């Protein structure tokens, strides 16, 4: 019996995920030059037609790669959501956990990929936000909401507070690593992190 027109075989999603995994390495090592659809097909060992079949276009590839790795980070988001100790301890733990994650090349590459492909782009920009950055911010928001409810954090907008904590951590990582700041103007990251956490706690403690 033949499949109805337009129906996908049972291995479609498995093959799509496998291709996304191979393409992630090529996209993550673009080194300033965004690879073309043909270059991505070559890296994946398939034809351009095959990539179009599974992803539609190049933007679809980027979105699929981001979604694939976002799904793999669910357990880390659970850690960020849960408060750990008093407010000062919890903020320090969250900042340490985010910093540790950004120190992993695979995690940092996802942010670099999302920013490089997404800035000013109507599809890949929102995909980066939805799959990578916003889940982190929302997890931190939930942690802060628990502290606000407990009374040890001021009743502020938890979303703005999450941005205030996370943004300098991400920028510092990009500055020192992917933008060459470690050579141009090195940053002693441990004291900088401690200073950031101290100032945050002082500003938001209940």
């Amino acid at each position: 019996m033949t499949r109805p027109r337009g129906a996908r075989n049972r291995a479609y999603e498995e093959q799509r995920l496998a291709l996304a995994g191979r393409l992630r390495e090529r996209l993550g090592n673009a080194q300033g030059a965004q690879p073309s659809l043909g270059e991505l097909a070559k890296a994946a060992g398939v034809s351009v037609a095959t990539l179009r079949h599974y992803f539609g276009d190049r933007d679809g590839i980027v979105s699929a790669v981001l979604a694939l790795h976002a799904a793999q980070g669910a357990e880390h988001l659970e850690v960020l959501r849960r408060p750990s100790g008093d407010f000062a301890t919890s903020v320090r733990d969250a900042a340490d956990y985010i910093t540790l994650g950004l120190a992993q090349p695979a995690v940092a590459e996802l942010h670099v990929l999302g920013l490089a492909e997404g800035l000013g782009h109507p599809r890949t920009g929102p995909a980066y936000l939805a799959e990578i950055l916003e889940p982190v911010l929302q997890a931190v928001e939930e942690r802060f909401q628990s502290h606000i409810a407990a009374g040890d954090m001021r009743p502020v907008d938890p979303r703005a507070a999450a941005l205030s904590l996370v943004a300098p951590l991400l920028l510092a990582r990009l500055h020192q690593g992917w933008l060459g700041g470690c050579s141009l103007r090195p940053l002693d990251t441990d004291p900088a992190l401690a200073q950031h956490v101290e100032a945050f706690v002082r500003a938001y403690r209940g």
Side-chain angles (χ1 to χ4, degrees), residues 39-55:
E39 291 170 330
L40 290 173
K42 182 178 179 181
V46 297
S47 67
V48 170
T50 296
L51 289 189
R52 292 193 184 281
H53 171 68
Y54 284 103
F55 302 104

Side-chain angles (χ1 to χ4, degrees), residues 22-192:
R22 297 205 295 270
L23 291 164
R24 179 246 184 278
E25 183 176 355
R26 178 65 182 89
L27 284 167
N29 290 283
Q31 297 180 344
Q34 296 178 346
S36 66
L37 193 59
E39 291 170 330
L40 290 173
K42 182 178 179 181
V46 297
S47 67
V48 170
T50 296
L51 289 189
R52 292 193 184 281
H53 171 68
Y54 284 103
F55 302 104
D57 57 16
R58 191 180 180 285
D59 296 341
I61 292 173
V62 174
S63 297
V65 167
L66 293 173
L68 169 64
H69 292 277
Q72 296 172 349
E75 63 182 285
H76 301 293
L77 295 177
E78 285 302 315
V79 173
L80 280 178
R81 286 190 180 96
R82 297 191 299 269
S84 52
D86 59 46
F87 179 60
T89 300
S90 189
V91 171
R92 182 170 62 250
D93 288 348
D96 285 343
Y97 198 76
I98 293 167
T99 301
L100 180 64
L102 290 171
Q104 307 302 312
V107 175
E109 283 173 4
L110 287 174
H111 288 281
V112 172
L113 170 62
L115 290 168
E117 296 279 351
L119 285 174
H121 196 287
R123 284 182 61 191
T124 52
Y128 164 63
L129 286 181
E131 302 291 355
I132 305 299
L133 185 56
E134 275 296 329
V136 174
L137 293 172
Q138 290 170 18
V140 176
E141 285 178 53
E142 290 185 36
R143 176 180 289 241
F144 288 164
Q145 286 168 347
S146 296
H147 285 293
I148 292 171
D152 59 355
M153 181 177 181
R154 292 197 296 112
V156 297
D157 178 1
R159 178 170 176 75
L163 279 166
S164 297
L165 180 69
V166 174
L169 304 178
L170 177 58
L171 181 59
R173 177 59 182 168
L174 296 175
H175 180 284
Q176 288 296 285
W178 292 87
L179 295 172
C182 58
S183 299
L184 180 66
R185 196 174 185 193
L187 175 69
D188 194 343
T189 53
D190 288 343

